[in-house]
C-alpha cells in the first residue's frame, strides 16, 4: 500500500509539472497589444489579402512581358514522298532560333502594365484594410470582455449587498419591525440579482470566446485581460488615408487604363521577326550548307472584326463606371460612419458626465430611504428597493458608455486608416 501511494504521488507530481505552466499561461492576463498581435498572425482574411497581392503581382509581370522579345527554338523534319515534289520540295529540315518583338501597338502594352500596377497597389491597400479590420474587431472584442468583467463585478457587489439586506430585514421581522411581505420582497430582489449575475457570467463567457476565436483559440471562456484605465481621445487624421478608399481609387485608375488599352486595339501593330539556324531539304546538306538567317517586318491593322473591339471597349467602360460608383459608395459610407463615430463618442462623454453627477444623488437618495426604513419612517421597502435599483443601474450605465466611447475611438482609427 505504501509503495502504491508513492507511485501515485510521483505520477501526480509529473502531471502537475506538465499542467502548471499551461495553467499559469492561461491565468496570465493579456494586453490589448498582445491580443492584436495574435489576431493578426492568425487572421485568415489577411492571408487571403496577401494571396490576392501575389496574384496581382503576377499579373504585373505578365503584362510587362509584352515589352520583351519572344525567343523560342524550332525544329522540324518532314518527308512527303506521296506528294508532288514541286509542291513539297520533297521535305523540310529545320533547326532555328526564332525571335519576335512588337515594336508598336498603339500604346496598348503601356496601358495594360499601368493598369496591372494600379491593381497591384489596390491589392496592397487591401492587405492594410484587412489588417485594420482585424485590429478593430479585436479591439472591440477586448473592450467588450473588459465591460463584461466589470459588469460581473458590479453584480457580485450588488448581490452581496442584497444578501446583507435580506439578513437585516429578516432580523427586523423577528423583532416585529418588518412584516413577512418585506422579507419576501427583498428575497425576490436578491433572487433576481442571482439570475442577473448568472446572465452576466454567461455574457462574459461569450465575450471570452469571441476574443479567443480572433486569436485562433476556440472554446476558451476563461481568457483574462489586463485592466484598462481612462478613456482614449479621438484621433486626428484624413479620411483620404483610409486603405479602403485608396484601394477603391486604385481600382478606378486601373479600370481607366484598361479602357485605354481597349481603345488601342484599333491602332495598327508592327512586329519584327528574326530567325537564325538551318533550313533545307535533306539533313546532311541542310546542316552542311544551309546555315543562315532571316528577318521579317509585319504590320497589321483591324478593319472589320464583327464588333469584337467595340465590345471590349464597352466592357472596359462598364468596368470604369462600376469602379467609380464603388468608390463613391465607399466614400459615402466612410463619411457617414465617421460622422456616427464622432457623434457616438461625444454622446458617450456627455452621458458619462451626467452619470458622474447623478450617481452621488441616487446613492444619497437610497441611503436616505434605507435609513428611514430602518428607523421606522414613512417609507416602504418597495420604495427602498426601487431607489436601490436606480442607484445600481447607474453603475452599469457607466460601463456601457465607457465601452461606447472606446468603440467609437476604435472605429475612427479604422476609418482613418491609422495604425493601432
Amino acid at each position: 500500500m505504501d509503495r502504491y501511494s508513492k507511485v501515485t504521488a510521483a505520477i501526480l507530481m509529473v502531471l502537475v509539472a506538465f499542467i502548471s505552466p499551461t495553467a499559469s499561461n492561461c491565468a496570465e492576463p493579456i494586453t490589448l497589444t498582445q491580443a492584436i498581435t495574435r489576431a493578426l498572425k492568425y487572421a485568415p482574411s489577411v492571408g487571403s489579402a496577401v494571396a490576392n497581392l501575389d496574384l496581382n503581382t503576377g499579373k504585373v509581370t505578365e503584362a510587362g512581358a509584352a515589352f520583351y522579345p519572344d525567343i523560342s527554338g524550332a525544329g522540324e523534319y518532314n518527308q512527303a514522298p506521296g506528294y508532288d515534289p514541286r509542291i513539297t520540295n520533297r521535305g523540310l529540315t529545320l533547326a532555328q532560333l526564332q525571335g519576335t518583338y512588337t515594336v508598336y501597338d498603339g500604346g496598348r502594352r503601356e496601358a495594360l502594365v499601368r493598369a496591372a500596377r494600379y491593381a497591384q497597389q489596390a491589392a496592397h491597400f487591401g492587405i492594410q484594410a484587412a489588417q485594420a479590420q482585424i485590429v478593430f474587431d479585436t479591439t472591440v472584442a477586448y473592450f467588450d470582455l473588459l465591460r463584461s468583467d466589470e459588469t460581473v463585478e458590479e453584480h457580485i457587489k450588488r448581490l452581496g449587498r442584497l444578501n446583507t439586506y435580506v439578513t437585516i430585514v429578516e432580523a427586523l421581522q423577528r423583532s416585529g419591525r418588518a412584516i413577512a411581505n418585506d422579507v419576501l420582497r427583498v428575497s425576490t430582489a436578491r433572487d433576481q440579482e442571482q439570475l442577473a449575475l448568472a446572465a452576466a457570467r454567461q455574457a462574459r463567457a461569450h465575450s471570452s470566446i469571441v476574443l479567443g476565436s480572433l486569436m485562433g483559440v476556440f472554446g476558451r471562456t476563461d481568457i483574462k485581460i489586463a485592466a484598462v484605465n481612462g478613456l482614449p481621445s479621438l484621433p486626428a487624421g484624413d479620411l483620404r488615408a483610409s486603405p479602403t478608399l485608396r484601394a477603391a481609387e486604385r481600382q478606378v485608375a486601373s479600370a481607366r487604363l484598361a479602357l485605354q488599352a481597349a481603345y488601342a486595339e484599333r491602332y495598327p501593330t508592327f512586329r519584327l521577326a528574326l530567325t537564325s539556324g538551318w533550313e533545307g531539304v535533306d539533313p546532311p546538306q541542310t546542316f552542311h550548307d544551309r546555315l543562315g538567317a532571316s528577318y521579317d517586318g509585319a504590320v497589321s491593322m483591324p478593319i472589320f472584326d464583327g464588333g469584337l473591339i467595340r465590345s471590349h471597349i464597352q466592357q472596359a467602360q462598364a468596368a470604369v463606371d462600376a469602379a467609380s460608383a464603388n468608390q463613391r459608395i465607399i466614400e459615402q459610407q466612410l463619411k457617414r460612419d465617421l460622422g456616427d463615430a464622432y457623434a457616438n463618442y461625444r454622446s458617450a462623454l456627455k452621458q458619462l458626465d451626467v452619470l458622474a453627477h447623478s450617481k452621488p444623488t441616487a446613492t444619497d437618495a437610497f441611503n436616505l430611504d434605507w435609513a428611514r426604513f430602518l428607523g421606522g419612517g414613512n417609507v416602504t421597502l418597495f420604495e427602498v428597493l426601487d431607489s436601490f435599483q436606480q442607484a445600481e443601474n447607474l453603475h452599469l450605465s457607466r460601463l456601457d458608455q465607457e465601452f461606447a466611447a472606446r468603440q467609437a475611438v476604435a472605429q475612427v482609427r479604422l476609418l482613418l486608416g491609422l495604425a493601432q
Side-chain angles (χ1 to χ4, degrees):
M1 186 66 179
D2 293 339
R3 182 180 179 182
Y4 176 78
S5 300
K6 292 180 180 179
V7 173
T8 303
I11 294 175
L12 290 175
M13 290 179 64
V14 173
L15 291 176
V16 170
F18 281 101
I19 296 174
S20 295
T22 305
S24 62
N25 291 335
C26 292
E28 182 181 356
I30 62 174
T31 64
L32 177 59
T33 302
Q34 292 172 337
I36 291 175
T37 301
R38 296 180 186 180
L40 288 174
K41 289 181 179 179
Y42 173 75
S45 59
V46 175
S48 176
V50 171
N52 186 47
L53 175 61
D54 294 339
L55 174 64
N56 283 275
T57 301
K59 290 182 178 180
V60 171
T61 304
E62 177 186 7
F67 285 95
Y68 296 94
D70 180 14
I71 300 176
S72 60
E76 182 180 357
Y77 176 69
N78 176 40
Q79 289 290 330
Y83 297 102
D84 191 335
R86 292 174 298 178
I87 303 299
T88 64
N89 200 24
R90 274 197 317 107
L92 174 66
T93 300
L94 178 69
Q96 288 181 341
L97 188 66
Q98 302 173 347
T100 304
Y101 179 71
T102 301
V103 180
Y104 176 78
D105 63 353
R108 187 170 183 267
R109 291 173 300 172
E110 291 84 351
L112 290 176
V113 169
R114 293 177 60 193
R117 286 175 179 170
Y118 275 121
Q120 181 188 36
Q121 293 175 12
H124 178 74
F125 288 123
I127 295 178
Q128 296 182 10
Q131 292 174 337
Q133 186 65 47
I134 293 300
V135 170
F136 172 76
D137 293 339
T138 307
T139 301
V140 172
Y142 188 92
F143 288 136
D144 185 50
L145 182 56
L146 175 65
R147 176 179 61 172
S148 298
D149 282 338
E150 295 175 339
T151 300
V152 170
E153 292 177 2
E154 289 291 338
H155 281 292
I156 292 175
K157 293 178 182 178
R158 184 186 299 188
L159 181 60
R161 296 181 64 184
L162 285 172
N163 284 328
T164 302
Y165 298 153
V166 169
T167 302
I168 294 174
V169 174
E170 287 177 345
L172 291 176
Q173 182 193 22
R174 289 192 295 269
S175 64
R177 296 172 57 188
I179 61 177
N181 189 45
D182 292 335
V183 177
L184 293 175
R185 189 179 297 277
V186 71
S187 298
T188 301
R190 189 265 314 274
D191 295 340
Q192 291 176 345
E193 184 56 36
Q194 288 179 334
L195 292 174
L197 176 59
R201 284 173 172 164
Q202 176 60 34
R204 197 268 175 208
H206 175 72
S207 299
S208 176
I209 291 173
V210 171
L211 179 60
S213 65
L214 291 171
M215 298 185 296
V217 180
F218 300 95
R220 283 283 302 276
T221 61
D222 59 344
I223 295 178
K224 296 183 179 180
I225 60 175
V228 178
N229 298 319
L231 294 177
S233 58
L234 281 176
D238 190 351
L239 191 60
R240 290 174 295 180
S242 169
T244 305
L245 182 59
R246 298 178 72 181
E249 292 173 348
R250 297 307 190 277
Q251 291 289 358
V252 172
S254 177
R256 288 175 177 170
L257 286 168
L259 176 61
Q260 181 178 334
Y263 276 111
E265 293 183 29
R266 293 175 170 176
Y267 294 99
T269 300
F270 173 62
R271 290 184 175 88
L272 180 64
L274 301 174
T275 64
S276 177
W278 290 271
E279 182 176 6
V281 178
D282 296 320
Q285 290 81 10
T286 297
F287 291 109
H288 186 269
D289 300 326
R290 300 303 179 185
L291 175 63
S294 69
Y295 62 90
D296 176 59
V299 178
S300 62
M301 182 173 180
I303 297 177
F304 177 76
D305 59 3
L308 179 63
I309 296 178
R310 184 172 69 253
S311 70
H312 291 172
I313 294 174
Q314 291 173 344
Q315 295 175 45
Q317 182 63 59
V320 171
D321 296 339
S324 299
N326 182 61
Q327 178 188 350
R328 292 194 299 269
I329 292 173
I330 291 175
E331 187 173 5
Q332 179 186 21
Q333 292 176 342
L334 290 176
K335 290 180 178 179
R336 181 196 62 195
D337 294 343
L338 187 62
D340 284 342
Y342 283 138
N344 292 338
Y345 183 80
R346 290 190 294 266
S347 175
L349 292 187
K350 186 176 296 183
Q351 294 187 53
L352 286 171
D353 184 63
V354 173
L355 289 170
H357 292 85
S358 302
K359 282 167 54 179
T361 303
T363 302
D364 291 343
F366 163 71
N367 291 333
L368 179 60
D369 288 341
W370 180 241
R372 290 174 60 193
F373 177 78
L374 295 177
N378 187 21
V379 61
T380 64
L381 186 60
F382 176 80
E383 295 173 331
V384 174
L385 292 176
D386 182 65
S387 60
F388 172 79
Q389 294 291 345
Q390 291 180 7
E392 293 299 318
N393 288 339
L394 292 179
H395 293 280
L396 299 179
S397 297
R398 175 182 60 82
L399 300 180
D400 291 338
Q401 295 309 316
E402 288 179 350
F403 171 76
R406 293 184 175 116
Q407 184 182 34
V409 172
Q411 187 175 14
V412 170
R413 299 186 70 87
L414 169 65
L415 298 174
L416 295 180
L418 301 176
Q420 184 67 24

